[in-house]
Amino acid sequence: MGVDPSPPRVAVERTPRRPRPWGSTVALFAGACMLTGTTLGPVSLITTALGLVLALTVPGLALISAMPDQEFTRSPLMTVALSVVLSAAFYVLALLGLDALGIGLSREAILIVTEAGIALSCGWSLATRRPPLLPDVRLRRPPTKSLVPLVSMAAAAAVVFSMVGLTSESPAPYQAMYATGPAAAGLTLNVVKGRSQLGLAVANHTSGRRAYRLTGALATGARWSPLQIEVPKGATWSGSLAGPVPASRCRARLEVDLQDASTGRVLTQLSVWVGTAARSPSLHGHPVPASHSVTSPDGANYCA
Amino acid sequence: MTKHHTDVAVTSGGIASVVDANERGPCGRAWLFWVVWIALPLGCAIVGYSYYNAARHPDSWHYHIFWIGMLTFMLPAGARLLSADPSRGERLQITAAFGLFAFVPKFLRDPSGPLWYDELAHWTQAQAIHAHRALFQPNPIEPIIQKFPGLEAVTDALRELSGASTFAAGSTLIALLHLSALLGVFFIAERLWDSPRIGGVAAIVYACNPGFILFDSQFAYESLGIVFFIWSVAAVVGIWASKRSPGGWTAAGVLIIAAVAPTHHISSYVTAGVLTVAALFALARRQGRDDARNARYGAALATLAVATAAAWLLVVASSTIAYLSPHVSGGISQTFHLIFQPSARRQLFQASTLPVYERASAFLAPLVAGAAVAVGLISLRRRASVPPALLALSVLGLAYFPALPFFLSRAGNEGARRSLDFSYLGVAVLGAAALVRLATWSSHRGRATMLTGCAIAVAGVILLTGNIASGFDEEYRFPGPYVYGSDTRSQTAESRGMVNWFLTTQGPNQHVVVDRYNGMLLASFGHQLTVTPSPAFPAWNLYFDSASPALSLLRQLRDSRDNYLVIDERMAQKLPRIGFYFVPNEPLAGIRLKPLSSRALDRYVSLPWARDIYSSDTLKIYRLDFSAISLSGGANGG
């Protein structure tokens, strides 16, 4: 008896090919276009909020759409959560890639690499006939009940944003005095015909208009005529304080007091150096003791 | 005939098989659905009011109001998740809301901009990356951040693509990451125990960890790194639970794991460790073709995690070793030292203003966690087949307990606290199974049902309040009056005004010698390069010594072009709240009894090389003119 060499026939049932996920792809493409719009268009509160949401989800959703066996798409919330994580991972790797290639992280470069990632993912999803994103999304609850969490979260967000201004503490008042002109750069004030002038600014950051008195006194004893100023709340006064500088072989320290005009209380002090350079043999880096003087390498002689 | 249906699709002989959807347990009531969603905005409002109260009335009422607000939502949400009633979809919604709600306290702490030390450092880094259009910018506040630009890369992309500010982009990112983190924990526990009920409970137990509500809500690299860690574990769990080819989870896992290493050092090392342990368990217990295939995929992800973490450490961020080693070695040596010398222990809650119930809860929380983990481990033993990832997470959960003694040491305290954010994933996965087991056991037992419900609620409150109390002091948590030497309460209008003036008149990128608290602002908002003193560069001596500065130090200052010196007069009036003026390793840090000498701070008025250019109520800026001083040799040159 001859043996039939042909193998037994098995009926092969071909499974129907999965349709291409055109719906997901068109939705992702629309998301990518909107992202381009929010990136390149005029900036407003709405475009910024929309841009943030799209930038945090669309790249991740595109990556999910390209992945095989998308069992995580069983729940829309879980898909969104994973899309945020995948979007973040995508940006980390994409920007590292751009940086490694020496491409500056400009708006255009980031947009191009993001759109390219979305396009490649969508293309791969179409080519490999991946299942569509969120195939089983159905409203299984009555509409009212399914809307409750959304309404509650929106109300919570409204409550939180309405409290933004209320939770910060009120700023403590203060006033500041600073040098302008050469003294602001740390330079010594020049003496011209026995007088010198210090550029000053006084900023009032208290709760109301304040009257101040500016006094200047040289460490060598000479006093400059005081100046009375009024500075409105939140404003800065600019001007100068001038006075005589007795002839001396050394640079003198000028102490300027900012006083409360009504009480005479010293609010803050500024000290600058006034005078001309003079040669002296000693060199130290120590504080200047009273009745002594030191000379720096620039040849200046400092006296207390 | 009553139709009984379990709320799980597949059971492996685990406790989920006894969880019956028709058994309500202690908390199963349909009206809870409405309570949960009404409580959400109400809880936000009460929490917001606690901050309003704290900013204006510095008593202790804000603590009580805060907890009333938190529990207004968290208790009904927890009860609903613990009950057998809700569908999987509702559990996911509550978990997502929980994640967003847990972001609210940190957001309302200061919604105007970055405030905490780490936040300022990362915000500065993101600003620098945006300005220079390149990653790896030097960071004057926390230099290690330069080597881990993941968070700033995402923020910069969001900023460019949306037009939002760095703070707005960062806050949105962190809020959504919070949501993703809890949904990731939900997924892990759900798949490991085959129960969405355990998934939801695990998510809220995880949210009770010491860092989730505050520390991981700040704009810092760990807030992103920990989410990558959670979803890396989720990918491995997804692979293991796959009945078909796990290509989707593998692809997702590859992307996420590749992004961990450039984002956060500890997250990448913990990810590598947990995935490796899971892979070893999986390879050891292959029982069929599917198991063998899934074990191979899991091992591939573990290999990738180890390779990327090691490569990043060796090639890009080798300075991480020097950054982390003092915390690890110092923590270990100090903790062992404490065993033999208990008097040297760090006093927990020393001079704390926290309410008594918070402090008591801080000590009780580990006991509650321990009990939950113990019952969870018993549940594990009763399972016929334990997934390798569950074994790995059990090991991780058990790591929570050895970390606790490190809280007593100064060097180990910080690292121990941060490790809990990771180990709590294991605690949550085991503890949730224990809680659901307890709730299921007590159902239909009359008074026991009510008592069990109350006991679980009390345990949850202890975990939440105790863990938050153990991690943060009042200054970090609430707004309020100025506190010298606090990272969060030392920012005043005066210091911000000084920073603005400095930037406007002196320009950016100036080298400034300044204390930590004003330095944070100068480096971040002022774009200045602040000096970090060290034993090799003891710039702190400019403040600590009343004697003349050493010539060697002045030479160092000149050579590094440190041209500005900022003096805060309050340094001579108060001790810093957190124990140091500049850095934790400065002389007398943490043990100083008196503030600095005012003589040491006032001497610059008469020094010819220090030029006074700005003076406000308490702050002075000197411009250092080294041409006015001879720095060649001298007796003081040491």
Side-chain angles (χ1 to χ4, degrees):
Chain A
M1 251 173 88
V3 178
D4 185 4
S6 59
R9 275 192 183 181
V10 179
V12 177
E13 193 178 322
R14 290 173 69 103
T15 51
R17 293 183 77 185
R18 203 156 42 191
R20 295 185 197 279
W22 285 108
S24 305
T25 307
V26 168
L28 286 168
F29 182 71
C33 288
M34 287 168 73
L35 186 59
T36 307
T38 59
T39 306
L40 301 178
V43 177
S44 71
L45 190 65
I46 294 171
T47 58
T48 300
L50 185 65
L52 280 173
V53 172
L54 290 171
L56 267 169
T57 51
V58 174
L61 288 172
L63 287 167
I64 291 172
S65 78
M67 287 175 184
D69 189 33
Q70 304 153 359
E71 61 174 323
F72 27 71
T73 59
R74 271 170 56 195
S75 147
L77 258 177
M78 202 61 95
T79 307
V80 169
L82 181 60
S83 75
V84 170
V85 179
L86 287 176
S87 296
F90 169 78
Y91 290 128
V92 172
L93 299 175
L95 267 66
L96 275 173
L98 286 176
D99 198 67
L101 292 171
I103 299 170
L105 305 179
S106 64
R107 177 167 299 181
E108 293 74 21
I110 293 172
L111 181 64
I112 288 169
V113 79
T114 305
E115 299 289 10
I118 295 169
L120 280 173
S121 301
C122 288
W124 183 255
S125 170
L126 281 176
T128 54
R129 296 173 185 270
R130 296 286 185 231
L133 275 176
L134 304 178
D136 299 325
V137 177
R138 306 264 193 282
L139 285 177
R140 297 195 183 91
R141 290 167 168 279
T144 321
K145 218 173 173 186
S146 62
L147 282 176
V148 168
L150 279 179
V151 172
S152 174
M153 285 195 214
V159 165
V160 169
F161 284 109
S162 69
M163 302 196 89
V164 160
L166 296 175
T167 54
S168 51
E169 55 248 87
S170 48
Y174 75 99
Q175 41 257 312
M177 171 169 61
Y178 50 87
T180 59
L187 300 177
T188 304
L189 295 178
N190 279 330
V191 180
V192 180
K193 293 180 182 171
R195 289 182 68 82
S196 189
Q197 186 173 331
L198 168 65
L200 275 176
V202 175
N204 170 19
H205 294 284
T206 64
S207 54
R209 191 180 187 86
R210 294 286 296 267
Y212 298 107
R213 194 176 134 95
L214 286 163
T215 64
L218 287 166
T220 49
R223 293 191 168 272
W224 289 12
S225 49
L227 194 64
Q228 186 114 354
I229 58 170
E230 277 206 22
V231 188
K233 169 189 170 187
T236 299
W237 170 87
S238 293
S240 61
L241 197 64
V245 180
S248 167
R249 291 186 62 245
C250 56
R251 288 178 177 177
R253 187 157 51 85
L254 169 70
E255 281 202 354
V256 180
D257 287 356
L258 177 70
Q259 300 173 351
D260 188 308
S262 54
T263 63
R265 188 169 69 91
V266 176
L267 300 169
T268 189
Q269 286 182 316
L270 200 69
S271 66
V272 296
W273 292 91
V274 184
T276 50
R279 286 271 164 205
S280 174
S282 62
L283 288 174
H284 308 287
H286 300 267
V288 183
S291 76
H292 284 72
S293 68
V294 292
T295 301
S296 71
D298 66 0
N301 192 5
Y302 296 89
C303 52
Chain B
M1 189 177 145
T2 310
K3 187 185 174 191
H4 283 251
H5 62 278
T6 57
D7 71 345
V8 294
V10 184
T11 61
S12 312
I15 64 161
S17 57
V18 297
V19 177
D20 190 328
N22 287 355
E23 288 179 20
R24 284 195 159 158
C27 310
R29 297 288 182 275
W31 51 263
L32 260 178
F33 171 84
W34 295 100
V35 173
V36 168
W37 296 111
I38 291 168
L40 177 62
L42 191 63
C44 290
I46 299 173
V47 169
Y49 179 68
S50 74
Y51 288 103
Y52 172 83
N53 186 275
R56 282 152 186 81
H57 310 290
D59 49 28
S60 61
W61 270 99
H62 49 270
Y63 283 103
H64 316 321
I65 300 169
F66 174 80
W67 286 120
I68 289 169
M70 293 298 284
L71 297 177
T72 294
F73 173 68
M74 287 183 152
L75 276 182
R80 185 72 180 155
L81 286 174
L82 191 58
S83 76
D85 289 349
S87 65
R88 182 177 186 269
E90 188 189 332
R91 290 182 197 281
L92 284 169
Q93 287 169 345
I94 295 174
T95 305
F98 214 100
L100 292 175
F101 182 76
F103 177 71
V104 170
K106 170 64 194 74
F107 179 69
L108 285 180
R109 171 64 182 86
D110 192 347
S112 61
L115 177 72
W116 292 3
Y117 185 79
D118 289 2
E119 263 189 321
L120 280 167
H122 285 280
W123 181 83
T124 305
Q125 188 69 4
Q127 294 283 88
I129 286 172
H130 183 74
H132 293 94
R133 294 173 186 256
L135 303 176
F136 303 105
Q137 298 300 317
N139 189 291
I141 301 177
E142 197 64 85
I144 193 69
I145 287 172
Q146 177 188 0
K147 305 293 184 186
F148 294 91
L151 175 72
E152 290 78 13
V154 183
T155 310
D156 192 49
L158 293 180
R159 186 178 168 166
E160 294 290 8
L161 294 175
S162 68
S165 67
T166 296
F167 183 69
S171 297
T172 310
L173 172 67
I174 300 296
L176 288 176
L177 288 176
H178 240 47
L179 176 150
S180 299
L182 285 199
L183 289 176
V185 177
F186 182 109
F187 176 85
I188 291 168
E190 180 195 33
R191 290 298 166 95
L192 292 178
W193 293 102
D194 300 323
S195 163
R197 187 175 174 188
I198 295 178
V201 175
I204 58 166
V205 173
Y206 182 76
C208 291
N209 85 48
F212 188 74
I213 291 178
L214 293 172
F215 190 80
D216 295 336
S217 297
Q218 66 173 329
F219 181 66
Y221 51 6
E222 189 175 284
S223 303
L224 176 60
I226 204 150
V227 179
F228 282 154
F229 159 71
I230 288 170
W231 280 93
S232 302
V233 175
V236 170
V237 171
I239 287 171
W240 193 256
S242 290
K243 299 289 173 282
R244 291 171 288 165
S245 173
W249 277 116
T250 308
V254 166
L255 264 175
I256 296 166
I257 289 167
V260 186
T263 300
H264 184 229
H265 36 78
I266 296 175
S267 299
S268 65
Y269 310 146
V270 178
T271 303
V274 172
L275 265 52
T276 302
V277 173
L280 291 176
F281 279 128
L283 291 169
R285 60 147 267 189
R286 284 176 292 177
Q287 288 173 347
R289 241 180 69 188
D290 282 357
D291 272 10
R293 180 202 61 203
N294 292 344
R296 279 199 304 274
Y297 277 99
L301 285 189
T303 308
L304 178 69
V306 173
T308 50
W312 196 264
L313 175 69
L314 297 174
V315 178
V316 181
S318 54
S319 53
T320 312
I321 297 168
Y323 173 73
L324 291 177
S325 56
H327 295 284
V328 178
S329 59
I332 291 170
S333 66
Q334 277 188 19
T335 306
F336 278 104
H337 180 66
L338 292 177
I339 295 171
F340 303 105
Q341 196 184 351
S343 59
R345 267 180 207 157
R346 174 176 163 260
Q347 286 289 314
L348 298 175
F349 300 111
Q350 193 177 27
S352 171
T353 55
L354 302 184
V356 177
Y357 58 83
E358 281 200 14
R359 278 182 269 171
S361 297
F363 290 105
L364 290 173
L367 300 178
V368 173
V373 167
V375 179
L377 286 172
I378 292 167
S379 305
L380 203 66
R381 285 191 61 196
R382 293 188 177 186
R383 287 190 67 156
S385 161
V386 181
L390 185 49
L391 288 173
L393 286 179
S394 302
V395 173
L396 181 67
L398 289 172
Y400 166 79
F401 301 100
L404 294 175
F406 287 83
F407 274 82
L408 295 169
S409 72
R410 284 184 202 286
N413 166 42
E414 191 71 17
R417 208 166 48 200
R418 305 234 175 137
S419 76
L420 301 192
D421 297 2
F422 298 95
S423 59
Y424 235 79
L425 180 59
V427 172
V429 168
L430 290 173
L435 288 175
V436 171
R437 185 181 180 83
L438 192 62
T440 309
W441 169 83
S442 73
S443 59
H444 300 310
R445 285 177 199 265
R447 259 181 85 186
T449 307
M450 183 57 74
L451 284 174
T452 308
C454 291
I456 291 173
V458 170
V461 171
I462 287 172
L463 268 190
L464 185 65
T465 53
N467 282 338
I468 287 189
S470 68
F472 294 92
D473 58 18
E474 169 160 20
E475 286 82 35
Y476 258 82
R477 285 169 58 184
F478 291 105
Y482 175 85
V483 177
Y484 178 72
S486 151
D487 281 346
T488 50
R489 293 260 194 99
S490 53
Q491 294 186 23
T492 60
E494 184 186 355
S495 50
R496 283 183 183 254
M498 177 270 288
V499 168
N500 290 338
W501 175 84
F502 197 100
L503 180 62
T504 309
T505 61
Q506 311 297 308
N509 301 320
Q510 303 291 347
H511 295 246
V512 187
V513 182
V514 59
D515 62 279
R516 171 186 170 105
Y517 312 100
N518 291 296
M520 282 160 52
L521 298 181
L522 269 169
S524 51
F525 298 108
H527 308 294
Q528 309 301 341
L529 304 171
T530 53
V531 166
T532 305
S534 65
F537 181 33
W540 49 58
N541 284 340
L542 293 172
Y543 301 76
F544 292 177
D545 288 349
S546 300
S548 305
L551 286 181
S552 59
L553 173 59
L554 294 176
R555 267 186 230 118
Q556 281 181 302
L557 290 167
R558 181 196 59 191
D559 296 344
S560 53
R561 293 183 292 121
D562 297 318
N563 290 329
Y564 295 90
L565 176 73
V566 176
I567 299 282
D568 189 334
E569 289 173 8
R570 290 164 294 200
M571 296 172 93
Q573 296 160 5
K574 289 171 181 165
L575 287 169
R577 177 75 176 84
I578 61 171
F580 53 88
Y581 290 98
F582 297 91
V583 284
N585 62 340
E586 72 188 26
L588 301 179
I591 54 172
R592 191 180 286 277
L593 298 174
K594 282 195 304 187
L596 301 182
S597 142
S598 55
R599 254 186 63 205
L601 303 184
D602 292 344
R603 62 187 158 149
Y604 294 100
V605 168
S606 55
L607 281 172
W609 50 272
R611 309 294 173 88
D612 197 355
I613 57 172
Y614 177 95
S615 182
S616 65
D617 292 355
T618 56
L619 297 169
K620 268 186 179 294
I621 301 176
Y622 292 94
R623 189 174 174 130
L624 306 182
D625 178 13
F626 295 108
S627 69
I629 188 171
S630 168
L631 298 177
S632 52
N636 218 358

